Amino acid sequence: MALTVILRAIGAMILILTPDIDIAGDDYRRLMDHLSHLPNIKTRIHQEIGTQQTLTEVYLVGDTAALAVAAMEQLPGVDRVVRVSEEYRILGRHRDDKRATYFDYNGVRFGQDNLHVFAGLCAVNSPEHVEAMMKALKDNGQVCTRMGAYKPRTSPYSFQGYGKACLPYVFELAGKYGIRVIAMEVTHEAHVAEIHEALEQTGHPTGVMLQIGTRNTQNFELLKSVGRQREFPVLFKRGFGITLEESLNAAEYLASEGNRKVVFGLRGMKTNMGDPHRNFVDFAHVPVVKRLTRMPVCIDPSHSVGSRESDPDGILDVFHVTAQGVIAGANMILVDFHPDPSHALVDGPQALLLEELPLFLEDVRIAREAYEKRLALINLL
Ligand code: PEP
Ligand code: MN
């Protein structure tokens, strides 16, 4: 079925409660009592605890067609009522809902209205390289990075990442240089427990955003277990050989299990049509994902392009596609850097050099400013 047809299918209803409603209070109790008497309706509560306010939503599933929006809006504690499609009903953008949505993690705000750069190592290879990277980030005012400890590789004979052995020094060095969030791929639920333990042992010097890689986009059991934990937000990468709709449904597994702190990552599609790039760059989908869902959208120019090729003027393809994604409104950039790419254990050929970090950040700033000017222009109308 075409995506638009699916999105038109009406199924669930969401009651958006008044901000900061007291769930021990009278309004909430009367509302829940009323809902419990509706025939063939099940309820599920979702709470988003932010720094500024707590948002509570009640999802009604079942025979919602029989319920009138206007009547539901009169119930105690209800601010607004929206009907949503069955598809990605938690992460999806509700019809006519233009509210800014975001989440906070370890002091960093992730939303569809801002932008963070996660420059770092594709794979951790030594404390010295991790430290050089972290220092460069701090010197350039950055508080986020990427650090691969668990690497899913095409060949079983390739380096698989240092795994839990490298976590303590990665976290300690992150703390030393003021890094607040590290994007780190996990391929098994045991990795989440290892990350949790290493953070405990080192006294939580930093935070981790769990990355679901493109090879695991439809690993539903992994998604369910990562969705059940609420400690860490998730960077969910689009599947490289499936439709956007399939990837969005897969992301919904995380939210349906309880974790709505999800960023959606575009990283290029596997097809020879994109040659000579490693993957066919799909950043034209930045606004599409923002329209269909409430997730912040990440772009990964390194894994999309896969090389350090440049145009005749010397601008690298990685810089070009980054600017294209940012000017289209991307909210996060995951990008490979390395202090010594020729000795990188994974993906050296696509890594940017530490000396290029200030240039990269300035190029991003220019593209973001252009996006903001475009936004201001459209808002004039
Ligand atoms: C990565 O970010 O290191 C990675 C392996 O990405 P992807 O899952 O998009 O290939
Ligand atoms: Mn890589």
Side-chain angles (χ1 to χ4, degrees):
M1 208 184 331
L3 186 59
T4 44
V5 175
I6 290 172
L7 287 171
R8 251 182 257 125
I10 301 287
M13 178 181 263
I14 300 178
L15 311 185
I16 300 164
L17 306 192
T18 46
D20 296 318
I21 189 168
D22 178 7
I23 61 166
D26 224 32
D27 275 357
Y28 188 78
R29 190 186 44 74
R30 280 167 47 220
L31 172 67
M32 295 316 283
D33 182 57
H34 178 86
L35 298 178
S36 70
H37 289 95
L38 295 177
N40 304 320
I41 295 286
K42 283 202 172 72
T43 57
R44 193 161 177 170
I45 315 298
H46 286 275
Q47 263 200 331
E48 205 58 62
I49 301 169
T51 46
Q52 284 149 32
Q53 63 178 18
T54 295
L55 283 179
T56 307
E57 296 180 345
V58 183
Y59 285 64
L60 305 182
V61 189
D63 202 2
T64 58
L67 306 174
V69 168
M72 301 304 283
E73 272 173 348
Q74 298 309 312
L75 295 174
V78 176
D79 189 20
R80 284 186 56 206
V81 175
V82 277
R83 287 192 188 277
V84 288
S85 72
E86 286 291 351
E87 301 299 305
Y88 10 105
R89 72 174 72 126
I90 301 172
L91 296 175
R93 177 168 293 289
H94 308 154
R95 276 196 308 168
D96 307 324
D97 186 359
K98 293 203 161 40
R99 285 179 307 164
T101 50
Y102 61 88
F103 61 85
D104 292 293
Y105 175 65
N106 209 26
V108 184
R109 177 185 162 142
F110 295 89
Q112 284 195 340
D113 56 358
N114 65 5
L115 173 65
H116 296 289
V117 177
F118 281 61
L121 306 182
C122 177
V124 169
N125 57 342
S126 72
E128 293 71 32
H129 284 157
V130 172
E131 179 147 23
M133 187 71 233
M134 301 284 191
K135 182 173 181 314
L137 291 166
K138 183 178 164 67
D139 291 348
N140 286 280
Q142 300 300 300
V143 295
C144 300
T145 189
R146 57 160 299 152
M147 288 281 150
Y150 308 96
K151 299 304 301 176
R153 305 304 302 283
T154 304
S155 163
Y157 307 114
S158 301
F159 172 66
Q160 304 283 311
Y162 283 121
K164 74 172 179 183
C166 70
L167 299 180
Y169 73 76
V170 169
F171 295 161
E172 275 161 3
L173 287 167
K176 178 174 170 188
Y177 291 99
I179 300 296
R180 308 199 65 85
V181 189
I182 304 176
M184 181 175 277
E185 180 162 1
V186 292
T187 60
H188 191 280
E189 62 177 301
H191 300 156
V192 184
E194 289 171 9
I195 289 170
H196 171 84
E197 265 164 46
L199 282 171
E200 287 276 298
Q201 273 167 19
T202 51
H204 290 272
T206 188
V208 172
M209 179 181 280
L210 303 175
Q211 198 174 314
I212 300 290
T214 195
R215 291 158 189 80
N216 277 308
T217 300
Q218 288 185 309
N219 181 342
F220 299 120
E221 295 310 314
L222 177 66
L223 296 176
K224 284 190 219 164
S225 70
V226 169
R228 277 192 294 271
Q229 64 78 42
R230 309 263 189 108
E231 183 181 358
F232 304 109
V234 184
L235 168 60
F236 174 88
K237 293 255 195 120
R238 173 188 196 164
F240 55 24
I242 57 177
T243 64
L244 180 63
E245 185 202 329
E246 285 164 333
S247 288
L248 294 175
N249 273 294
E252 182 78 8
Y253 268 87
L254 296 161
S256 72
E257 293 290 333
N259 192 343
R260 310 164 53 147
K261 295 184 175 177
V262 185
V263 177
F264 190 86
L266 299 171
R267 46 83 67 215
M269 304 301 293
K270 206 174 190 59
T271 157
N272 292 103
M273 300 298 171
D275 290 357
H277 288 160
R278 180 174 174 180
N279 288 288
F280 194 91
V281 183
D282 56 349
F283 300 167
H285 278 169
V286 168
V288 177
V289 178
K290 288 174 81 172
R291 175 169 75 241
L292 294 177
T293 81
R294 299 188 286 170
M295 290 182 272
V297 182
C298 176
I299 52 168
D300 178 343
S302 304
H303 289 83
S304 298
V305 168
S307 74
R308 290 182 47 84
E309 296 296 326
S310 57
D311 71 10
D313 297 320
I315 301 178
L316 298 181
D317 290 11
V318 171
F319 279 55
H320 274 300
V321 302
T322 301
Q324 288 157 15
V326 171
I327 206 169
N331 308 112
M332 176 170 159
I333 305 166
L334 191 74
V335 56
D336 291 4
F337 273 77
H338 201 282
D340 181 9
S342 63
H343 288 100
L345 295 171
V346 184
D347 286 347
Q350 70 195 26
L352 302 178
L353 310 171
L354 295 195
E355 309 81 273
E356 290 169 326
L357 183 60
L359 184 66
F360 181 80
L361 293 172
E362 179 58 12
D363 204 32
V364 166
R365 198 194 58 71
I366 292 168
R368 176 71 189 179
E369 192 179 292
Y371 169 71
E372 282 167 1
K373 283 185 179 157
R374 296 174 65 218
L375 206 58
L377 181 65
I378 209 74
N379 283 331
L380 280 179
L381 296 178

